[in-house]
Amino acid sequence: MDANEKELTTWGITKGLRTGFITFLFALQMSAIITLFVLYYRSEREKNELQAKLYEKMIDYLRPTRDKMENAADTVVTAATKVIEVSQKVDSLSKNKPK
């Protein structure tokens, strides 16, 4: 009798009962693995949902600032366009000026 068999026999686990006990431990291990996988998957999904909500809140929070910056940029573009148009007119007038 080897050491494992002797230990199992000491606890009253013999032959058919030993097979059932080992099968029970295997089933318990598989159940634990499946449960942990499901819990991990749920926690990852909840984390991703929370992250998406936080991104939406951040976008909503920054929207007014973005709109102000876009308006300022549009104003700058309009002013630059007018400056370019005026400088082109001045250049054309200075070229047509008699010497």
Side-chain angles (χ1 to χ4, degrees):
M1 195 183 290
D2 68 350
N4 290 336
E5 235 177 279
K6 185 177 179 182
E7 185 176 342
L8 290 171
T9 306
T10 303
W11 292 97
I13 301 171
T14 57
K15 297 186 183 182
L17 187 57
R18 182 175 356 147
T19 305
F21 181 70
I22 292 171
T23 304
F24 168 75
L25 289 178
F26 180 70
L28 185 64
Q29 179 183 5
M30 290 302 293
S31 298
I33 290 170
I34 290 170
T35 302
L36 288 173
F37 177 75
V38 168
L39 290 174
Y40 173 76
Y41 179 75
R42 281 185 193 160
S43 69
E44 283 295 311
R45 185 180 50 180
E46 289 172 359
K47 183 179 84 170
N48 289 338
E49 289 172 358
L50 179 62
Q51 191 68 40
K53 287 179 185 177
L54 289 174
Y55 281 141
E56 288 298 321
K57 284 183 180 180
M58 181 181 68
I59 289 169
D60 290 341
Y61 178 76
L62 294 175
R63 185 168 283 126
T65 305
R66 186 195 71 190
D67 292 342
K68 286 179 185 176
M69 291 179 74
E70 285 178 353
N71 289 338
D74 289 341
T75 304
V76 169
V77 167
T78 304
T81 304
K82 288 182 180 179
V83 167
I84 291 171
E85 289 173 0
V86 168
S87 68
Q88 287 174 348
K89 285 181 184 177
V90 168
D91 284 346
S92 68
L93 289 175
S94 65
K95 287 180 183 177
N96 294 334
K97 180 179 177 185
K99 292 184 182 181

